[in-house]
Amino acid sequence: MPIYEFKCQECGEEFEKFVISASQVGQVKCPKCGSEKVVKKISACAIGGSDSGSSSACTSFG
Ligand SMILES: [Zn+2]
């Protein structure tokens, strides 16, 4: 089941989100502050970052 963990870069909120397709990942918003600046906590960045337009998602949590 495609449930991804996200972390908000604005307020630091960590949450899980059911995501059907990769395109939806770019539409995920923080449930706490509503920011769209969220990053996936799983290492899916190697797959491609198709629509995020930012490579920071791969390096922001090391
Ligand atoms: Zn937030």
Side-chain angles (χ1 to χ4, degrees):
M1 188 173 291
I3 296 179
Y4 297 93
E5 286 187 67
F6 293 88
K7 182 171 185 177
C8 176
Q9 293 186 307
E10 291 290 340
C11 70
E13 175 77 358
E14 297 183 15
F15 58 98
E16 294 179 347
K17 183 80 173 183
F18 174 75
V19 179
I20 298 174
S21 65
S23 61
Q24 283 191 315
V25 173
Q27 301 174 6
V28 174
K29 294 182 181 179
C30 173
K32 186 175 181 180
C33 73
S35 173
E36 295 181 352
K37 295 177 65 176
V38 298
V39 294
K40 277 199 301 256
K41 293 185 66 179
I42 60 174
S43 56
C45 55
I47 297 175
S50 56
D51 60 354
S52 67
S54 172
S55 60
S56 62
C58 296
T59 57
S60 59
F61 58 98

